[in-house]
Amino acid sequence: MILKTLSEAVGVSGDEASVRAILIDAVRQHVDEIDVDALGNVLAFKRGTAQPGAGSHAGAEAPSASEPRRLRVMLDAHMDEVGLMVAGHDGDGFLRVRSVGGIDARLLPGALLQVGPEQIPGVIGVKPIHLLDEGEDKKVPQLKDLVVDIGARSKDEAKKLTPMGTYAAFVTQFREMGPTVSGKAFDDRAGCAVLVELLKGERFSFDLYAAFTVQEEVGLRGARVAAYAIDPDCAFALEGTIADDIPKDKDVSPTTELGQGPAITVMDRSFIADRRLVRLLTDTARELGIPYQFKQPGVGGTDAGALHLAREGVPSVTVAVPCRYIHSPVALLNLDDFDNTVRLMREALSRITWGTLRRN
């Protein structure tokens, strides 16, 4: 299962080489061209079947006859995961770290890590409960209070093994739990796995540009570069998103729920989804009986925040696999949601023409 391989690979933002190699190997035989840009994005191209400029509906704004081209559709999924970076060394050989991407320090004490390219085993340590001062047990630990123990016996040994800037990633084994699976980095290895499945399928009428991007977790950086290079007519960001359908003190709507189908974003903190693409997705889902849900508006951000601002602007939307406990050492997703995300995207993409992007 490609999702298992991707989940267990290490690829903290800025250090995505291992994930990049897996993805290149997975899609090489299913695309016409593949390249890696200066930032490390994997850019793949799959030629469309329609004649350049064909497929427009009456009244649609298609390319002029003097400059015909097929519709360009970009599919994006980011390769990077949240993690840690060595920022200092204590006299006793412990590592001080900083977060790469958004991590809740409450989740970290006791977490297992692999540190550096040699994947040195490490564990995140905190003061034992029986040594806490009065009231300390009521305080939320902060990252500056935590250390990483790699078994080094001195500061010099720790520095030699893990110099400043060394990456550390969570160690989590992928597991099947009935219709649910657990693993790390489903944000966004789930989206990467969806994109791999789409590339393995039949060609579409349009030119398909797939971008496996870098550094989303630290500012949507790879997507900005990729979208500028591709210059697409529309774009879909494929994601693993927050599912907070767990018991709560207050009766509030969850962001998304496991088992309720792919989540379509209408708005988050980084962009407002193009309504034409939202309509395409929902109409397709309803007609084919594919379950879907809307992600609660205003929550989070995705590569679509960079995609839609490229060049003169790109109509964009995000479709995601709901995942519990993202940005933590372990996450859960429902395989039916994953399969339905692949199906919804494949069916919706098969319906795209120049007319889809016509202004109402």
Side-chain angles (χ1 to χ4, degrees):
M1 180 184 292
I2 187 66
L3 179 60
K4 176 182 187 297
T5 305
L6 289 169
S7 173
E8 293 182 346
V10 174
V12 180
S13 302
D15 187 38
E16 300 92 349
S18 295
V19 182
R20 181 163 50 244
I22 292 168
L23 289 167
I24 290 174
D25 184 62
V27 305
R28 188 192 306 274
Q29 302 302 316
H30 305 285
V31 298
D32 298 303
E33 298 176 19
I34 192 165
D35 194 15
V36 178
D37 69 13
L39 278 193
N41 296 313
V42 176
L43 305 179
F45 169 66
K46 192 164 185 175
R47 188 171 292 104
T49 59
Q51 291 298 316
S56 61
H57 289 179
E61 294 182 2
S64 66
S66 60
E67 296 183 1
R69 77 173 195 183
R70 274 182 292 267
L71 184 68
R72 292 185 182 184
V73 177
M74 178 179 179
L75 302 184
D76 160 279
H78 69 89
M79 296 184 285
D80 59 313
E81 64 188 285
V82 297
L84 301 168
M85 180 180 284
V86 176
H89 306 80
D90 283 356
D92 294 327
F94 296 109
L95 312 181
R96 295 287 177 174
V97 292
R98 295 291 180 267
S99 64
V100 181
I103 299 179
D104 187 343
R106 296 175 302 168
L107 305 172
L108 295 181
L112 301 179
L113 300 174
Q114 44 195 333
V115 186
E118 290 79 24
Q119 298 185 355
I120 298 169
V123 63
I124 297 180
V126 69
K127 186 188 290 188
I129 190 169
H130 53 280
L131 296 181
L132 294 178
D133 296 329
E134 184 177 354
E136 278 192 295
D137 60 330
K138 305 282 195 303
K139 295 180 180 178
V140 175
Q142 298 183 44
L143 194 56
K144 64 181 179 61
D145 303 319
L146 305 176
V147 295
V148 176
D149 189 345
I150 59 170
R153 292 164 293 185
S154 68
K155 185 173 185 177
D156 286 343
E157 183 182 1
K159 278 187 172 182
K160 183 178 180 180
L161 291 171
T162 58
M164 192 87 72
T166 300
Y167 285 97
F170 297 125
V171 177
T172 307
Q173 183 179 3
F174 184 93
R175 297 187 302 168
E176 296 186 18
M177 306 162 60
T180 303
V181 294
S182 66
K184 72 169 179 66
F186 288 165
D187 176 13
D188 181 33
R189 307 292 161 69
C192 289
V194 169
L195 183 45
V196 168
E197 294 301 320
L198 293 172
L199 289 173
K200 287 181 177 179
E202 297 297 321
R203 294 180 186 272
F204 297 101
S205 61
F206 52 80
D207 285 344
L208 174 60
Y209 291 82
F212 297 98
T213 56
V214 299
Q215 299 188 44
E216 188 267 0
E217 299 293 358
V218 291
L220 319 183
R221 297 170 184 172
R224 182 175 306 174
V225 173
Y228 185 91
I230 292 169
D231 189 17
D233 298 300
C234 65
F236 295 77
L238 305 174
E239 266 285 4
T241 197
I242 302 164
D244 59 342
D245 53 340
I246 56 178
K248 299 180 178 69
D249 292 335
K250 297 180 180 180
D251 184 14
V252 295
S253 298
T255 304
T256 70
E257 300 178 76
L258 257 60
Q260 299 302 308
I264 300 169
T265 294
V266 292
M267 180 186 76
D268 62 26
R269 290 198 298 264
S270 66
F271 87 123
I272 296 174
D274 186 271
R275 294 308 174 110
R276 295 164 296 179
L277 298 180
V278 172
R279 188 182 311 118
L280 169 70
L281 291 163
T282 55
D283 286 351
T284 301
R286 283 195 294 266
E287 290 175 21
L288 298 178
I290 302 172
Y292 73 94
Q293 56 188 306
F294 289 115
K295 180 181 176 181
Q296 191 176 89
V299 177
T302 69
D303 269 346
L307 300 175
H308 82 288
L309 294 176
R311 293 182 179 261
E312 293 87 5
V314 179
S316 303
V317 69
T318 297
V319 182
V321 181
C323 304
R324 289 181 188 149
Y325 322 124
I326 64 171
H327 286 213
S328 77
V330 61
L332 274 71
L333 67 77
N334 181 286
L335 290 176
D336 289 337
D337 290 339
F338 178 88
D339 291 340
N340 281 318
T341 302
V342 174
R343 185 183 174 209
L344 175 59
M345 283 301 306
R346 183 175 289 132
E347 295 291 346
L349 289 171
S350 70
R351 301 176 178 210
I352 289 183
T353 67
W354 284 108
T356 305
L357 304 178
R358 182 178 58 235
R359 285 289 176 193
N360 293 331

Short mmCIF file of all heavy atoms in Angstrom, two decimals, residues 15 82 86 229:
data_model
loop_
_atom_site.label_atom_id
_atom_site.label_comp_id
_atom_site.label_asym_id
_atom_site.label_seq_id
_atom_site.Cartn_x
_atom_site.Cartn_y
_atom_site.Cartn_z
N ASP A 15 13.37 18.77 4.09
CA ASP A 15 14.18 17.56 4.05
C ASP A 15 13.35 16.42 3.48
O ASP A 15 13.24 15.35 4.05
CB ASP A 15 14.67 17.22 5.47
CG ASP A 15 15.65 16.06 5.49
OD1 ASP A 15 16.49 15.97 4.58
OD2 ASP A 15 15.57 15.25 6.44
N VAL A 82 5.31 17.76 9.61
CA VAL A 82 5.84 18.52 10.73
C VAL A 82 6.90 17.68 11.45
O VAL A 82 6.89 16.45 11.38
CB VAL A 82 4.72 18.92 11.72
CG1 VAL A 82 3.72 19.84 11.03
CG2 VAL A 82 4.03 17.70 12.31
N VAL A 86 17.20 20.26 15.60
CA VAL A 86 18.13 20.48 16.70
C VAL A 86 18.57 21.94 16.72
O VAL A 86 19.05 22.47 15.71
CB VAL A 86 19.36 19.55 16.59
CG1 VAL A 86 20.37 19.86 17.69
CG2 VAL A 86 18.92 18.09 16.66
N ALA A 229 5.38 28.04 -12.21
CA ALA A 229 6.01 27.34 -13.33
C ALA A 229 4.98 26.67 -14.23
O ALA A 229 5.10 26.69 -15.46
CB ALA A 229 6.99 26.29 -12.80
#
